[in-house]
Amino acid sequence: MSQLTVLEHSSLSSFEPNTFDNSVMNTYGRFPIAIEKGEGCRLWDTEGKEYLDFVAGIATCTLGHAHPALIETVTQQIKKLHHVSNLYYIPEQGQLAQWLVEHSCADKVFFCNSGAEANEAAIKLVRKYAHTVLDFLEQPVILTAKSSFHGRTLATVTATGQPKYQKDFEPLVDGFAYVPYNDIRAIENAIADIDEGNRRVAAIMLEPLQGEGGVRPGELEYFLRLRKICDENNILLVFDEVQVGVGRSGKLWGYENLGVEPDIFTSAKGLAGGIPIGAMLCKDFCAVFEPGNHASTFGGNPFACAAALSVLQTIERDNILQNVQARGEQLRVRLRAIANQDPHLFTEVRGWGLINGMELQSEIELTSVEIVKAAMQAGLLLAPAGPKVLRFVPPLIVSEAEIDEATAILEQVIAGLN
Ligand SMILES: *Cc1c(COP(=O)(O)O)cnc(C)c1O
């Protein structure tokens, strides 16, 4: 038997969580199942149990699992060329950048491998712009929002406005300050407070919709005012589109829901449908990086770029944004009906396209993780977004029947909790 045959026929049914925990570092609170294979919006664990996947690798598997277009692209690409250094021109990287520039407000793209890394690139770009263009500002400050999430590296965990992620990792990185989300007065006050000598606000970095922080959409009025304030005060507006971008909101980019354009934005999670990639995009006027300023060994390699291009072209060709809008509307209607049956349990359902949250009453003991566990047992995978919000981020190809099925399961699970 060839090695490949052995692999195809072997099953993980002998999977042992204890052996796993003996050697894998203890950084995640894991649910006690191991996923073995997937197709479309379905996953199967090592016991053969089937799940409807409304997590999608946390808003990452844009085209679901084992999508024919992605399989074909990555198979062809790995046979041809999978990695080469940025010492040379990489045609697939150029094609992907061109697609992104043609389909967004950005003029230039830098490629990396994750959301945190894309945000790091944005933070470095802001600082270089401040030092070299903005009156040679020596102490640029980046304002971010409370309840935000920007990643786990030191600079991005500092940017993340949630102390629980920062605890025990001090000293944090200098040059960040925090304001409540969707609060324009707080922004105005912070800009005034921080203006002192060579220290002032150089950028405001926000998610168009806060994902991890509880699926909180940005408010139109707030973002319109914010854009004006940035223009009037020479402040860069940076959007973290890592979770909400690439069609998830029903538009290609989250900012399209807010009627404003950022100067810089970042993308990652769904960009290559689950193949690791990140991107930092910006307008020409602030594209101040020069050779030697920033780099990534894997960034923009042919394999990841071909995968991303395939995902984006499939979104376009198959009218997937239309599906996201229709299925999102269907999902919110169903979830609101469920929430309205139990007003003592739920406060509200909110979201855009296929990133939606269902919030639990704060005074009850029930947490989102408890519902996630019960739903998992009933065959539906959901993710919490903080202790009180259930997050629904299925693949963007989810069908009408699958939304019906998922919400029927959830309804039963909640009836079982009462
Ligand atoms: C997930 C996420 C990140 C971090 O992305 P990684 O790929 O895990 O580094 C950053 N920002 C937002 C909004 C995210 O949702």
Side-chain angles (χ1 to χ4, degrees):
M1 238 193 292
S2 76
Q3 218 167 3
L4 194 66
T5 332
V6 173
L7 271 177
E8 277 171 359
H9 287 274
S10 80
S11 156
L12 284 172
S13 58
S14 58
F15 180 79
E16 258 302 329
N18 288 340
T19 317
F20 183 100
D21 289 333
N22 278 343
S23 45
V24 177
M25 203 170 283
N26 188 24
T27 56
Y28 300 96
R30 291 184 175 84
F31 295 104
I33 60 169
I35 306 295
E36 192 176 38
K37 66 172 183 168
E39 196 184 331
C41 296
R42 311 261 162 194
L43 288 171
W44 287 267
D45 71 12
T46 48
E47 313 276 293
K49 184 176 156 119
E50 184 179 314
Y51 302 89
L52 199 46
D53 181 14
F54 272 49
V55 177
I58 309 195
T60 293
C61 300
T62 308
L63 304 179
H65 306 281
H67 191 283
L70 194 54
I71 292 173
E72 173 66 16
T73 300
V74 299
T75 306
Q76 292 310 321
Q77 190 62 47
I78 204 154
K79 284 184 188 165
K80 194 168 140 203
L81 180 70
H82 70 288
H83 179 81
V84 66
S85 166
N86 283 299
L87 287 169
Y88 316 106
Y89 282 89
I90 299 171
E92 293 80 5
Q93 188 181 129
Q95 284 167 17
L96 175 59
Q98 192 185 343
W99 195 99
L100 289 168
V101 164
E102 281 171 3
H103 292 80
S104 77
C105 64
D107 301 310
K108 293 286 190 299
V109 192
F110 171 82
F111 291 105
C112 51
N113 315 286
S114 68
E117 217 187 324
N119 288 334
E120 282 276 348
I123 291 164
K124 281 181 71 175
L125 189 72
V126 163
R127 286 189 171 189
K128 175 151 189 194
Y129 183 79
H131 281 278
T132 60
V133 182
L134 282 182
D135 311 324
F136 300 97
L137 197 59
E138 277 165 25
Q139 290 190 66
V141 173
I142 300 178
L143 287 184
T144 67
K146 293 180 179 170
S147 306
S148 60
F149 186 85
H150 299 296
R152 302 294 201 136
T153 62
L154 270 175
T156 60
V157 87
T158 303
T160 294
Q162 299 194 59
K164 69 170 178 182
Y165 292 115
Q166 300 166 340
K167 190 180 170 295
D168 294 338
F169 299 116
E170 299 86 355
L172 298 174
V173 174
D174 265 353
F176 289 90
Y178 313 95
V179 287
Y181 192 57
N182 281 334
D183 180 345
I184 206 72
R185 280 297 284 281
I187 293 269
E188 288 167 346
N189 291 341
I191 292 170
D193 289 349
I194 291 166
D195 196 346
E196 200 188 317
N198 249 323
R199 183 169 183 266
R200 74 169 181 87
V201 174
I204 300 172
M205 177 168 165
L206 296 168
E207 295 157 89
L209 171 154
Q210 290 191 328
E212 303 297 315
V215 192
R216 266 167 236 289
E219 286 166 12
L220 207 71
E221 196 56 29
Y222 171 73
F223 275 88
L224 291 173
R225 286 282 303 133
L226 197 64
R227 181 65 267 182
K228 243 183 122 217
I229 288 173
C230 287
D231 291 341
E232 288 165 4
N233 294 279
N234 263 328
I235 293 171
L236 292 169
L237 185 55
V238 183
F239 284 168
D240 179 342
E241 293 257 356
V242 169
Q243 190 159 163
V244 76
V246 194
R248 182 146 298 275
S249 72
K251 314 252 190 212
L252 191 58
W253 305 110
Y255 67 76
E256 294 173 55
N257 297 276
L258 296 170
V260 295
E261 291 182 356
D263 303 309
I264 302 172
F265 72 97
T266 55
S267 177
K269 285 191 168 80
L271 184 54
I275 307 298
I277 192 168
M280 187 271 287
L281 306 91
C282 74
K283 299 210 174 188
D284 265 332
F285 81 90
C286 56
V288 292
F289 280 164
E290 295 168 317
N293 284 170
H294 199 52
S296 164
T297 297
F298 290 129
N301 87 12
F303 186 76
C305 288
L309 198 57
S310 172
V311 167
L312 294 168
Q313 286 170 342
T314 303
I315 289 176
E316 212 173 15
R317 192 194 56 226
D318 295 353
N319 274 324
I320 286 179
L321 294 184
Q322 230 174 324
N323 189 59
V324 176
Q325 290 160 19
R327 299 289 73 78
E329 192 54 40
Q330 181 194 355
L331 178 62
R332 282 186 296 279
V333 166
R334 298 291 153 88
L335 293 180
R336 285 192 181 118
I338 294 172
N340 289 339
Q341 283 171 27
D342 284 302
H344 66 290
L345 289 184
F346 299 103
T347 60
E348 67 166 351
V349 170
R350 56 178 180 250
W352 293 340
L354 285 172
I355 178 161
N356 293 285
M358 194 174 183
E359 187 165 35
L360 290 161
Q361 294 284 3
S362 54
E363 43 310 346
I364 59 165
E365 261 179 52
L366 189 66
T367 63
S368 50
V369 174
E370 289 171 281
I371 299 182
V372 166
K373 280 184 186 159
M376 190 179 81
Q377 270 166 8
L380 171 65
L381 299 183
L382 299 176
K388 287 289 175 184
V389 179
L390 286 173
R391 174 169 31 177
F392 301 78
V393 282
L396 305 189
I397 54 156
V398 69
S399 70
E400 188 173 357
E402 284 162 338
I403 297 276
D404 283 341
E405 189 184 338
T407 47
I409 295 173
L410 183 70
E411 194 168 7
Q412 276 188 356
V413 164
I414 286 162
L417 292 171
N418 279 335

